[in-house]
């Protein structure tokens, strides 16, 4: 039918149609569609020679898709309700109740929306929305669909698990082939990842993320989680609560900055509120500026929170053996300087300080010496120096009214 002087309504129904011969023509050449059965029931409208709307029920069965380099995907079934409508400067495609059962894992029911419109001469706006993305399925699918821009490498290294909710993306496309990402946002729940490089592993994190290529904001609202720094702490750190906002901004020369003004992190052994700033520049060590107030610490569990990866073995051994028990009602932590050179005992490049009060401390400070008990003291770590000012304590049957101890170098 030629020209535009016609209109029509159409209806089409198929059942177990072997669709792979004609569907293969729409795939990139590196993909091979070996099998696909299609069930379809659709209603379409044509006005003035143009396709303006379609509603359809789609069912796919027994799809076998492979990549020339080897990865293979078997889809047992998929189903959805599709709606399409088009105006002169706008079209919208919606998939409702979309679900997949495949060798890459099941995809729970979700809704998908694609909305494309002209917003100016030669300028198109694309909005994408998805109600749910299970990260496990996304990770497996990346093996065959090979996303560009390094995303496949990130998915493979981090192996994320969990769910993304309310995913929204806003993009602009003009005359140039480049597509500009305006905003990307999502809520996430029960997210876990593996560690990669200097990036720690996380377990059961929840929150929301929003940003673009110039700015990313992460809002944490997490409970009963853990974080693992393989080369910094000895065991994963348990987190009963993690709340706050982190903002990441890239620079113009491969540098970036990460800021968090009020991060609340609580564990079964300690409660903290922190302000952090991290700066990264090419060919330079990370620069850290961290200030933390903490309270309700349990002395017997202190060893789990020592950053042993940047501490001397001698200091770690002394702390492990010396602090037997005690309670930390309050204290503070300050670290400002490049990560290289910590704890700055041989350089003036940075400042490291921990100051806290301790109650009912039991300190086995030196083998063969009497243990210090029932101590109420103020303890200060400054770079590589340790200072203890004790206001009351007990050694054997003797009471200590006031005492001070200093270790100039813990190296």
């Amino acid at each position: 039918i030629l020209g535009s002087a016609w209109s029509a309504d159409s209806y089409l129904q198929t059942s177990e149609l072997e669709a792979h011969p004609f569907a293969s023509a729409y795939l990139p050449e590196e993909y091979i569609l070996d099998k696909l059965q299609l069930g379809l029931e659709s209603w379409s409208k044509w006005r003035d020679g143009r396709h303006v709307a379609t509603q359809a029920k789609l069912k796919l069965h027994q799809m076998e898709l492979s990549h020339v380099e080897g990865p293979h995907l078997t889809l047992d079934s998929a189903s959805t309700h599709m709606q399409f409508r088009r105006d002169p400067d706008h079209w919208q495609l919606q998939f409702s109740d979309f679900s997949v059962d495949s060798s890459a894992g099941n995809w729970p029911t979700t809704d998908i929306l694609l909305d494309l419109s002209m917003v100016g001469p030669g300028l198109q706006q694309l909005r994408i929305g998805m109600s749910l993305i299970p990260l496990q399925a996304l990770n497996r699918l990346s093996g065959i669909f090979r996303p560009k821009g390094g995303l496949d490498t990130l998915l493979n290294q981090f192996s994320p698990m969990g769910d993304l909710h309310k995913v929204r993306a806003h993009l602009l496309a003009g005359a140039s082939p480049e597509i500009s990402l305006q905003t990307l946002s999502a809520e996430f729940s029960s997210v876990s990842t593996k560690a990669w490089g200097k990036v720690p592993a996380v377990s059961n994190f929840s929150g929301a993320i929003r940003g673009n290529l110039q700015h990313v904001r992460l809002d944490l609202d997490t409970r009963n989680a853990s974080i693992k720094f393989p080369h910094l702490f000895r065991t994963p750190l348990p987190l009963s609560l993690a709340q706050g906002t982190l903002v990441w901004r890239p620079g113009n020369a491969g540098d970036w900055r990460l800021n968090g003004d009020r991060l609340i992190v609580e564990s079964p052994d300690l409660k903290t509120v922190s302000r952090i700033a991290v700066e990264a520049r090419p060919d330079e060590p990370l620069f850290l500026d961290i200030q933390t107030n903490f309270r309700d610490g349990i002395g017997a569990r202190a060893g789990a929170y020592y950053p042993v990866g940047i501490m001397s073995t001698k200091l770690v051994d002394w702390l492990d053996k010396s602090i037997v028990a005690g309670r930390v009602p309050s204290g503070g932590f300050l670290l400002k300087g490049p990560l290289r050179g910590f704890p700055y005992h041989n350089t003036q490049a940075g400042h490291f300080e921990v100051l806290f009060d301790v109650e009912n401390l039991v300190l086995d400070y030196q083998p063969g010496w009497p243990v210090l008990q029932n101590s109420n003291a103020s303890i200060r770590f400054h770079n590589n120096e340790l200072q203890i000012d004790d206001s009351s304590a007990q050694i054997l049957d003797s009471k200590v009214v006031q005492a001070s101890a200093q270790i100039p170098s813990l190296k």
Side-chain angles (χ1 to χ4, degrees):
I1 301 176
L2 302 177
S4 60
W6 62 274
S7 298
D9 294 335
S10 64
Y11 173 78
L12 176 65
Q13 183 177 18
T14 68
S15 178
E16 298 183 359
L17 174 67
E18 296 294 337
H20 59 280
F22 62 85
S24 296
Y26 297 92
L27 292 175
E29 61 182 11
E30 63 266 26
Y31 291 98
I32 302 171
L33 185 60
D34 297 309
K35 190 175 182 180
L36 175 62
Q37 293 183 353
L38 173 64
L40 170 68
E41 187 175 17
S42 69
W43 299 260
S44 297
K45 292 183 179 181
W46 302 76
R47 296 294 182 265
D48 299 324
R50 296 175 62 253
H51 179 208
V52 297
T54 290
Q55 293 189 37
K57 297 178 181 179
L58 289 170
K59 291 185 178 180
L60 307 179
H61 298 281
Q62 306 302 318
M63 186 186 83
E64 295 184 6
L65 180 67
S66 58
H67 193 277
V68 292
E69 295 183 1
H72 184 272
L73 173 67
T74 298
L75 185 150
D76 297 323
S77 64
S79 62
T80 188
H81 289 77
M82 184 195 76
Q83 290 186 335
F84 172 80
R85 65 181 181 88
R86 184 172 68 174
D87 298 323
D89 295 325
H90 172 252
W91 64 256
Q92 186 179 90
L93 180 62
Q94 182 174 358
F95 298 94
S96 302
D97 300 327
F98 176 81
S99 63
V100 174
D101 184 8
S102 75
S103 61
N106 297 336
W107 192 301
T109 300
T110 187
D111 297 325
I112 304 171
L113 177 67
L114 303 174
D115 189 292
L116 181 67
S117 60
M118 298 294 297
V119 293
L123 187 62
Q124 293 180 316
Q125 171 183 266
L126 175 62
R127 294 186 181 274
I128 303 172
M130 297 186 68
S131 61
L132 172 66
I133 299 179
L135 292 175
Q136 299 94 313
L138 187 65
N139 185 39
R140 296 181 184 125
L141 289 172
S142 70
I144 188 169
F145 290 113
R146 305 294 179 91
K148 298 181 180 180
L151 180 59
D152 55 339
T153 301
L154 290 175
L155 290 171
N156 181 59
Q157 294 292 339
F158 287 117
S159 299
M161 300 181 66
D163 295 318
L164 300 181
H165 307 269
K166 299 179 181 179
V167 181
R168 303 289 185 267
H170 177 204
L171 304 100
L172 289 178
S176 68
E178 293 186 2
I179 297 176
S180 172
L181 175 65
Q182 300 300 298
T183 59
L184 177 66
S185 64
E187 297 178 3
F188 57 92
S189 62
S190 305
V191 169
S192 300
T193 65
K194 293 181 179 179
W196 182 36
K198 296 181 180 179
V199 181
V202 300
S203 176
N204 200 38
F205 269 62
S206 299
I209 187 169
R210 178 182 178 87
N212 52 35
L213 298 180
Q214 290 76 44
H215 170 272
V216 177
R217 174 186 172 118
L218 177 68
D219 294 305
L220 291 174
D221 188 8
T222 294
R223 289 167 177 79
N224 301 319
S226 67
I227 184 168
K228 181 180 181 180
F229 297 83
H231 306 295
L232 188 59
F233 298 98
R234 288 180 282 200
T235 60
L237 302 180
L239 305 177
S240 52
L241 177 68
Q243 290 181 326
T245 298
L246 290 168
V247 177
W248 174 85
R249 289 185 175 88
N252 297 320
D255 55 319
W256 53 264
R257 184 178 177 89
L258 179 70
N259 291 89
D261 289 333
R262 182 176 171 80
L263 296 175
I264 300 173
V265 177
E266 297 182 1
S267 78
D269 312 305
L270 192 68
K271 296 177 174 63
T272 70
V273 179
S274 301
R275 180 195 65 78
I276 72 169
V278 181
E279 293 185 26
R281 295 185 177 90
D283 303 320
E284 294 185 20
L286 283 177
F287 188 92
L288 307 178
D289 184 357
I290 304 174
Q291 296 181 24
T292 298
N293 294 323
F294 53 86
R295 60 185 176 87
D296 298 336
I298 300 176
R301 288 282 300 150
Y305 301 91
Y306 300 151
V308 296
I310 55 174
M311 297 172 67
S312 69
T313 302
K314 183 178 180 181
L315 172 59
V316 173
D317 288 344
W318 185 84
L319 290 171
D320 284 341
K321 296 173 183 177
S322 298
I323 300 178
V324 179
R327 176 181 175 272
V328 178
S330 63
F333 170 96
L334 173 64
L335 172 60
K336 186 172 184 178
L339 188 57
R340 184 187 302 160
F342 178 91
Y344 314 120
H345 58 292
N346 291 325
T347 176
Q348 300 298 316
H351 182 90
F352 167 65
E353 186 172 2
V354 182
L355 178 64
F356 59 93
D357 296 325
V358 63
E359 299 174 347
N360 300 318
L361 172 67
V362 177
L363 190 68
D364 190 3
Y365 52 93
Q366 181 69 27
W369 288 41
V371 175
L372 187 70
Q373 300 186 34
N374 300 322
S375 173
N376 296 301
S378 175
I379 299 177
R380 179 179 184 246
F381 291 91
H382 179 224
N383 292 344
N384 196 40
E385 177 186 335
L386 172 62
Q387 175 75 35
I388 302 175
D389 294 315
D390 204 331
S391 60
S392 64
Q394 183 174 344
I395 298 179
L396 298 178
D397 294 329
S398 302
K399 291 185 177 181
V400 178
V401 177
Q402 188 173 1
S404 294
Q406 183 181 32
I407 301 177
S409 176
L410 293 168
K411 277 287 185 179

